[in-house]
Amino acid sequence: MTTGAALQLSRDKLLQAYRTMRTIRDFEERVHEEFEAGHLPGFVHLYAGEEASAVGVCLNLDDEDKICSTHRGHGHCIAKGCDVTGMMKELWGAADGLCAGKGGSMHIADLSKGMMGANAIVGGGPPLACGAALAAKTLKNGKVAVTFTGDGGSNQGTTFESMNFAAVFDLPVIFVFENNGYAESTASSWSVACGDIVNRAEAFGMPGMQVDGFDFFAVHDAAAEAVERARTGGGPSLIEVKFGRFYGHHEGDNQSYRGKDEAANLRANHDCLNLFRQRVTEASLLESADLDSIDTEVAALIDRAVQDARSAPRPTPEQLTTDVYVSY
């Protein structure tokens, strides 16, 4: 996969890409701190280190395109345009959180942004994306659906059935498999029978691409190709994004199944934000000062979001049964 097209993005698009990746990173790092301090209820799975995937894909979409996420969904939500303060409030269980405080970390959704929901069911996203893609094809509106699925979810029967369904009906759907090396604590090198997930594309008669998930430009170019194919009636595609996560499967995971220096090596040598900075400054597309300014703005945004979440009202007993079911 070449990375030439994304380097031709406008200055505004490049700044948007960096700002969104920085927002995801700072959101996740702050959530990590707040969870360790005991300020957050529930269960949290962090996306830090994987930002280039969500942003590289979603920069090719608009609000009417649909995405489905996983239990590790904060990055997908932010990349699709969900309100950061609303998300932070949702993690705090606030009444004015993005899902009225009833979704929490693993079930954030915002249909106004085409975000159909994070999903705690492994392999739960692909059938939903096929439904959205079938609706788009029926309405002939040129919209597409993307499902982000982990390497563990790639082994689920629901996923295989969805890929077959999408191929048979020639649906405008993209299956993005985010392979961070572990299905919870089980190495994908052991649990994925065909070696690389991308090899499964051929079995379903759809194009498949494997990309370096630390490289925003590689992900963006692969997604652009797949989205264009879907919008113009070319049917489904598969993209395998290979990278690693900075934290464990969930907050509190002791990560005894990982190499001692694995996460430290990822941060030092495979940080997608550092790689982005290096690429755009060496090519004189952006100045370091542009990116430093975004860093400052995003840090302030996350601080305000946390302060707002801490003081936001919690749901009352009378609100217990409201906002539980949504009609699509």
Side-chain angles (χ1 to χ4, degrees):
M1 174 58 59
T2 62
T3 59
L7 277 168
Q8 304 305 314
L9 289 172
S10 68
R11 172 183 166 83
D12 286 347
K13 281 289 184 183
L14 290 172
L15 290 171
Q16 180 185 351
Y18 182 76
R19 182 186 300 276
T20 310
M21 288 196 292
R22 173 55 67 192
T23 303
I24 296 171
R25 176 67 57 80
D26 283 14
F27 185 95
E28 296 293 73
E29 297 289 6
R30 188 60 176 268
V31 167
H32 170 71
E33 294 173 11
E34 298 291 339
F35 190 89
E36 278 205 326
H39 297 157
L40 280 174
F43 219 32
V44 172
H45 304 74
L46 296 177
Y47 193 74
E50 304 184 2
E51 295 86 352
S53 177
V55 179
V57 172
C58 290
L59 206 64
N60 290 285
L61 307 177
D62 61 36
D63 287 352
E64 295 181 13
D65 294 317
K66 305 294 192 298
I67 70 167
C68 299
S69 181
T70 69
H71 53 276
R72 200 179 308 285
H74 304 162
H76 304 135
C77 291
I78 294 172
K80 199 61 171 64
C82 294
D83 178 68
V84 171
T85 299
M87 287 178 60
M88 196 66 83
K89 288 181 176 180
E90 187 61 35
L91 266 64
W92 250 268
D96 56 350
L98 210 53
C99 299
K102 298 186 175 75
S105 171
M106 286 194 283
H107 302 94
I108 297 177
D110 184 352
L111 298 183
S112 71
K113 296 295 182 182
M115 173 54 187
M116 297 179 68
N119 197 326
I121 304 299
V122 176
L128 297 176
C130 282
L134 181 59
K137 182 175 182 180
T138 302
L139 296 171
K140 299 179 180 178
N141 58 15
K143 299 304 174 184
V144 305
V146 176
T147 175
F148 292 94
T149 309
D151 45 283
S154 77
N155 298 328
Q156 291 288 311
T158 51
T159 301
F160 295 139
E161 186 175 358
S162 298
M163 293 174 70
N164 186 68
F165 186 88
V168 168
F169 286 93
D170 213 22
L171 297 182
V173 59
I174 297 106
F175 297 89
V176 177
F177 292 105
E178 295 185 320
N179 184 354
N180 62 27
Y182 300 99
E184 191 163 347
S185 59
T186 302
S188 58
S189 59
W190 179 84
S191 62
V192 177
C194 59
D196 291 319
I197 297 170
V198 68
N199 293 332
R200 291 176 172 160
E202 184 178 358
F204 293 99
M206 67 177 71
M209 296 170 277
Q210 186 184 69
V211 296
D212 176 358
F214 300 110
D215 183 350
F216 160 81
F217 297 98
V219 177
H220 181 279
D221 284 1
E225 182 179 328
V227 169
E228 176 65 15
R229 181 183 300 115
R231 289 201 198 283
T232 54
S237 302
L238 182 157
I239 302 173
E240 180 184 9
V241 182
K242 298 196 75 170
F243 48 19
R245 49 175 156 80
F246 288 177
Y247 291 101
H249 173 68
H250 56 78
E251 284 294 88
D253 178 4
N254 65 18
Q255 305 183 65
S256 58
Y257 51 89
R258 301 182 80 174
K260 181 180 177 182
D261 299 322
E262 185 176 315
N265 177 56
L266 289 175
R267 285 185 181 270
N269 302 307
H270 301 281
D271 185 327
C272 61
L273 278 89
N274 291 341
L275 292 171
F276 183 95
R277 269 182 171 267
Q278 182 180 352
R279 295 285 294 278
V280 297
T281 55
E282 287 182 353
S284 299
L285 298 172
L286 297 174
E287 299 292 331
S288 292
D290 300 324
L291 306 174
D292 292 343
S293 178
I294 288 175
D295 290 350
T296 301
E297 293 170 14
V298 170
L301 168 68
I302 299 300
D303 277 343
R304 290 196 301 272
V306 169
Q307 294 306 318
D308 289 349
R310 284 175 175 165
S311 60
R314 302 301 185 253
T316 65
E318 290 74 23
Q319 293 173 307
L320 184 63
T321 58
T322 62
D323 302 307
V324 177
Y325 296 102
V326 174
S327 297
Y328 287 80

